[in-house]
Each structure stands twice: as C-alpha cells, then as structure tokens.
Amino acid sequence: MALERLEANAEDAIPTCSYSLTQGPEKQQDNGTWLVTEFVLVGFSNLPELRPTLFILFLLTYLVTLSGNATIITIIQVDRTLHTPMYRFLAVLSLSETCYTLVTIPNMLAHLLMESQAVSIAGCRAQTFFFLGLGCSHCFLLTLMGYDRYVAICHPLRYSVIMRPTVCLCLGALVFCSGFSVALIETCMIFSSPFCGAGLVEHFFCDIAPVLKLSCISQLFSSLSISKSLCHCYC
C-alpha cells in the first residue's frame, strides 16, 4: 500500500503538457482565464484519408488559376494594342487575384501534408491583414473598372482626357491604399484583445469569423461583424 501511494504521488508531481494536435498552447492568468498563445487550424484534419487527394485536387486547381492569370498579364503586356485603361485594369485585377490566392492556398496545401496545424498569432495576424487588404482592394478595383466603362460609354469623346495615364495611376494607387487602410483597421480591431479557449480555428486559414470566436471580449464580435458588413457592401 505504501508503494502504491508513492507511485501515485510521483505521477501527480509530473507536469503534463497542454499542447496537442487538437489544442493550441495556453497560459493561465491570475483570474483563471486561459489565454491562447498559438492557434491551431482545424482545416481538413477531420478527413485524414482524403488529405492526399485534396492536396492533388487543390494543387491542380491552383496551378490552373496561376497559369490563367499569368497568361492574361503576359498577353496584355506584349500586345501594344491592349495598352488601354480597360486592359491595364484587367491586368492589375489578375495580379491582385494572384496575390490574393497566394495568401491562403500555399499555406493550406502545406498543412494538408504536415501533421502540425499550428500557426503563431503573429502569422495569423499577417495573413488576416493581407487577406483583407487584397480582398477589399479587389472590390474597389472592380468599382474602378465599372467607372472606366461608364466614362467610355457616356463620355466617349472625353474618354482619353478623363482616363489619361496619370489619372489611372492615381486611381489605382487610391484603390490599394483604401483597401489596405480598411484591412489595417479591421486587423487591429480583431487582434486588439486576447484570445481564450482551446485555440482551434475552424477553418483552413485565419478568417475573421473563426478567429473572433476565440476572442475573450464578446462585444468585439458585434463591432467587427458591422465592420465586415461595411467592407462587403463595396463588393
């Protein structure tokens, strides 16, 4: 009996690690709240037998997307007859879409092959910032392309004056400055509070809604939902 008690006390004295493949590392504050120091992307972890197939399928789709955008950009750059505002904006749109997919797809493909799905909060913050910045810029750029067609149809005689190269360059810069300004504000709001719970992000990348579910401040969810809705209104 004495030997069994000694073995039980020894087992209780051994510290256990709170990190696993299904839960991110945490630390406890003085008030008993568990704070997340690292996220774990759930992604397709519940489909382990399909991960190789999904990797091949997504990789082929991604390569087709990249080749299509690269073809559009190359043709517009080579053919001088396409050096007009409409096709210039189309080339920028293709480049923006390529960068937009680079933010999430390569990381998702890597996680399909790796056992560890962990991502640091700083890495998640950077991914969210570029995802929102390029997404909002994409929407503003579509608006600019619509304005370009409006001027071409309604003011054909003044089109070359209104949409001259310097104006197009300034409008393009304004598009991306506006998009990344919105992204900076939203990213600061999302990551301004600590995160609690198991640290599981129910997605294959750091999207707004899954990350907000881990926030320790419940009021933050409603404020960010309004901000996200305002951004989507431009689309």
Side-chain angles (χ1 to χ4, degrees), residues 44-45 47-60 108-109 111-115:
F44 303 97
S45 58
L47 302 171
E49 67 281 355
L50 294 179
R51 288 169 68 177
T53 304
L54 291 175
F55 174 81
I56 297 175
L57 179 62
F58 291 149
L59 178 60
L60 293 176
M108 180 194 69
L109 293 175
H111 282 173
L112 284 173
L113 297 179
M114 297 187 305
E115 292 295 331

Side-chain angles (χ1 to χ4, degrees), residues 98-124:
T98 301
C99 297
Y100 186 72
T101 56
L102 282 173
V103 175
T104 57
I105 304 301
N107 191 38
M108 180 194 69
L109 293 175
H111 282 173
L112 284 173
L113 297 179
M114 297 187 305
E115 292 295 331
S116 176
Q117 309 293 326
V119 59
S120 64
I121 292 182
C124 189

Side-chain angles (χ1 to χ4, degrees), residues 104-160:
T104 57
I105 304 301
N107 191 38
M108 180 194 69
L109 293 175
H111 282 173
L112 284 173
L113 297 179
M114 297 187 305
E115 292 295 331
S116 176
Q117 309 293 326
V119 59
S120 64
I121 292 182
C124 189
R125 184 189 298 114
Q127 187 182 52
T128 302
F129 171 72
F130 286 104
F131 175 76
L132 291 175
L134 291 170
C136 292
S137 299
H138 197 84
C139 296
F140 295 148
L141 185 58
L142 290 175
T143 304
L144 178 58
M145 293 176 69
Y147 173 74
D148 172 72
R149 291 298 84 202
Y150 164 77
V151 175
I153 295 173
C154 297
H155 305 281
L157 300 179
R158 299 175 54 197
Y159 177 77
S160 59

